[in-house]
Structures are given as structure tokens and as C-alpha cells.
Amino acid sequence: MTQRILLLSGYDAASHRRWREQLVTLLPGYHWQTLALPPRFFQWRIRGNPVSWLDEPCLQESWDLVIATSMVDLATLRGLHPSLANTPCLLYMHENQFAFPVSDQQRGRVEPKMVNLYSALAADAVVFNSAWNRDSFLQGVEGFLNKMPDAVPDGVMEKLRERSSVLPVPIEDRLFIDQPRPVNRACPHLLWNHRWEYDKGPDRLLALLEQLTERAMPFRISVVGEGFRSRPEAFDRIHRQFSGHIEHWGFLERRADYDRLLGRADIVLTTALHDFQGLAMLEAMAAGCLPLAPDRLAYREYVPPQCRYTSIESDKAAEAGAAADQLARLLEQPPVAEPPNPWRASRLAPRYQALIEQLMSKGQ
């Protein structure tokens, strides 16, 4: 009989949707059932998804494994549905609320952190998309527990460390090129391909472009990524000040158009202050782009040292200078592009399957 897996996405943002759809495609030998909630009303969604799913018939059925994303309140869900209490559960952490940037309005709210903590304690295995994500979660939980005034049980951190592992979101094999391509050293095509939000550092991108202009360094740039109704003012300034340098501006609706852009760019760059894995960087690297990234976050796990610039979070102007210096060095003697082969879907699929089989065997 085909083994049955229930896949739960409590806040089905683009990266979450991509991962779950890819997982089903990579491992077709199971019977998959998915429940997903739209990525809106974050504060309500992360705390309210068990209520939204209260009357879902499939939660009364028998499953061999439950896989839930980090926005799912897994502890409450298992409590509300006794049939899931003895079903093995895997929690996949795309991000963690202990390291997630918050606005002034959100500051001090502990509910999202508690959802992550309780879900991790309720899961049989907790999988992170990067070592940085895992480590920042564990450090955040430890600091959080240290703030509890009393009645903190022993061994919580040991339990979480034991059940935590790293298994990235895969990059499709089709994106990897066979041969490296030359870099246009005279006038490189830069690609900034991230969400248009403040935590991705658009003000730092603006500072870098101003540095390149002051140094009379020729460049072209494409600024793409998902935008929203409210966006940082830095994007409008970049569009005004550097209109003569822009190759493409804005979101690309068709995936084929985006893939073609990846194939034309020379250097993919990030200025982000928060990035739990960096799919946009990994995809562009697979397509042959040289990376340029700050020496922080998950970038240390796959961006070569010669392609990282000094991280100076407290001074964006100084960091922009460091990025410009590193770009100049890259253009002077471009290194051979190193595709992120360990992140290939064909290499990660067996690891996903082994973990799934291991967990399901515990439930038998």
C-alpha cells in the first residue's frame, strides 16, 4: 500500500509553495495530500491556522507522516486532532521568528516565537534550510528561555539540538549550466533579485550604486523581485538616479523570462540584512552568475570567500565601499564560477527520502 503523507503549509508564501510542490514532484512514490493557507494576515495566520483547519476532514484520517512548515502551529494541531498525536511529524523551518526582522509595531510580540518553539518541541524532527537558520533559532530559543522567570525544565535545548538538522530547499537541475561563461569586465551586468522589502537592504543597494558612480565604474543593472503596494523609498531613488544603467526593472511574471535574465547577467548581488537560505542567489549561481554577497547570514555556506565583502551592518556607507572594493577585485581577475552543486535537486532528493523513510518507520 502506498504510504500517505499530509503536507501542511500555514502561510503559503512563494518560497513555501515552491518547496512543497517541488517535494511532491521529487518524491512521487507517496500519496500526498496538501493543506495550504494564503500568505496574508500574518499575525492571525500563524496563531490561527489550527482554527482555520479545525473541520478539515483529512485531519481525521490516518497518515504515515505529517510534514508541516514553520508557520504551522503543530503543537495545537496535534492537540486538537487526537488521530495525529501518534503520527510522526516533521517540521520544516523556512525561517524562524527568533531571527526574523520585525517592524516597530511588531516589536515585543512573543506569540510567533512561541509557535515556532512549541512546534519544534511537538515535532519528531526539525529540519532547517540552512545552518544559519538552525543556529539562529537555537540561539534565539536559548536566550528566550533564559528570560523566563522560573519553571524552566532541564534539557530543552538538548532535545531541540538532537532533533534538528539541515536540508536545503533544492535548486532544480535544469537551472545548472554545463560550462562557465565569461564575465563582461568592461561593463558588467549586475543582478539584484530579491523581495522589494526593507530587510533585503535596498538602501544599501542605493549606496553601492552611488559608490560605483563616484568611482566611474561602468555597470548595467537589473532590479527584479516580488514587489508590494508599500515599498521602501530607496527603490524610487534607484530608478530615478540610475535609469540610464537599468537593463530590467520590476517583477517578471513569466518564469522563462526570469531564467533568460539569469543567463544574461554577470554578477548576482545581495545587500540583504536577513536571508535564511538565499534561493535567488543560489539560482543565479547555478545559471552561471558570479555572486557578490556580504560576509554574513547563510551566504557563508555557499558564496566563496573571494566573492564576499565585509559585513558592516552599523554603517551602510562603509559597507557599500567594501562591496565596491570587492566588485573591483572580482572584475580585475574573475574567479571561475562555482555552481552550488550540493544544492541540486537530484542530490538532495535521496536525503529527503531517507529522512521521510526513517520517520515513517518510527510510526509503524
Side-chain angles (χ1 to χ4, degrees):
M1 182 181 293
T2 303
Q3 292 168 304
R4 291 159 48 83
I5 301 176
L6 179 61
L7 182 53
L8 305 173
S9 183
Y11 191 86
D12 205 38
S15 60
H16 294 213
R17 183 176 66 253
R18 169 201 171 141
W19 170 80
R20 65 172 176 79
E21 290 176 347
Q22 187 180 37
L23 191 60
V24 172
T25 301
L26 285 174
L27 303 175
Y30 303 108
H31 170 82
W32 294 89
Q33 174 73 42
T34 300
L35 291 180
L37 292 168
R40 54 178 182 258
F41 313 122
F42 170 79
Q43 294 293 337
W44 283 101
R45 187 71 81 223
I46 193 170
R47 202 66 184 92
N49 55 76
V51 176
S52 299
W53 285 329
L54 189 62
D55 297 323
E56 282 288 346
C58 68
L59 291 174
Q60 311 304 322
E61 298 176 15
S62 176
W63 299 95
D64 294 293
L65 178 68
V66 172
I67 300 178
T69 61
S70 44
M71 300 297 188
V72 173
D73 187 347
L74 185 59
T76 300
L77 203 67
R78 296 186 88 173
L80 290 172
H81 300 278
S83 61
L84 300 181
N86 295 318
T87 304
C89 290
L90 185 158
L91 181 69
Y92 192 83
M93 302 289 287
H94 291 272
E95 68 284 296
N96 77 81
Q97 297 302 311
F98 292 92
F100 207 87
V102 295
S103 66
D104 292 337
Q105 292 79 15
Q106 295 172 320
R107 202 168 301 281
R109 291 180 178 172
V110 300
E111 291 92 344
K113 296 177 182 178
M114 296 299 283
V115 168
N116 274 182
L117 174 56
Y118 289 164
S119 294
L121 290 171
D124 296 280
V126 187
V127 179
F128 296 83
N129 59 359
S130 71
W132 184 83
N133 189 6
R134 177 199 59 197
D135 296 345
S136 62
F137 171 77
L138 293 172
Q139 291 165 10
V141 169
E142 189 166 27
F144 186 78
L145 294 177
N146 287 338
K147 292 179 181 178
M148 289 183 65
D150 63 2
V152 181
D154 294 330
V156 173
M157 293 309 304
E158 287 73 16
K159 289 179 182 177
L160 291 176
R161 289 192 182 96
E162 286 174 5
R163 67 185 62 168
S164 295
S165 61
V166 176
L167 196 48
V169 175
I171 305 301
E172 293 92 334
D173 284 37
R174 66 173 184 83
L175 291 175
F176 287 78
I177 63 170
D178 295 327
Q179 297 293 330
R181 60 175 187 267
V183 173
N184 185 334
R185 298 168 61 188
C187 186
H189 181 179
L190 309 179
L191 172 64
W192 191 95
N193 54 342
H194 311 278
R195 278 186 293 104
W196 289 24
E197 293 187 290
Y198 72 96
D199 64 299
K200 298 305 181 184
D203 56 335
R204 292 167 186 264
L205 173 62
L206 172 62
L208 171 58
L209 298 182
E210 289 175 339
Q211 279 273 346
L212 299 183
T213 302
E214 288 176 14
R215 301 181 186 201
M217 292 177 62
F219 68 91
R220 297 166 293 140
I221 187 165
S222 291
V223 179
V224 300
E226 188 178 7
F228 306 91
R229 282 180 297 178
S230 176
R231 70 188 193 192
E233 186 263 344
F235 287 106
D236 294 327
R237 288 189 58 188
I238 292 170
H239 194 249
R240 285 196 308 269
Q241 288 181 221
F242 302 100
S243 58
H245 297 266
I246 292 172
E247 285 281 312
H248 182 85
W249 183 263
F251 186 68
L252 284 163
E253 294 285 348
R254 295 178 65 246
R255 177 72 207 205
D257 294 334
Y258 179 63
D259 289 345
R260 278 193 289 272
L261 180 60
L262 295 183
R264 294 199 308 268
D266 294 299
I267 295 173
V268 59
L269 69 94
T270 176
T271 50
L273 293 166
H274 286 88
D275 208 345
F276 288 96
Q277 178 174 338
L279 281 174
M281 293 293 290
L282 285 160
E283 286 184 341
M285 291 172 64
C289 294
L290 281 177
L292 180 63
D295 188 21
R296 57 175 174 252
L297 309 173
Y299 305 134
R300 292 173 173 171
E301 296 170 42
Y302 54 83
V303 174
Q306 67 269 32
C307 297
R308 300 197 301 260
Y309 57 88
T310 304
S311 171
I312 314 173
E313 293 190 33
S314 60
D315 190 335
K316 67 181 179 185
E319 185 169 278
D325 290 342
Q326 197 67 24
L327 176 60
R329 286 191 285 269
L330 282 179
L331 295 176
E332 183 177 351
Q333 190 171 359
V336 176
E338 297 181 23
N341 285 313
W343 282 258
R344 280 181 181 263
S346 57
R347 292 197 183 184
L348 290 175
R351 292 178 57 193
Y352 272 99
Q353 180 148 15
L355 177 60
I356 287 172
E357 293 291 335
Q358 177 189 356
L359 288 171
M360 287 195 294
S361 68
K362 292 182 178 179
Q364 294 174 354

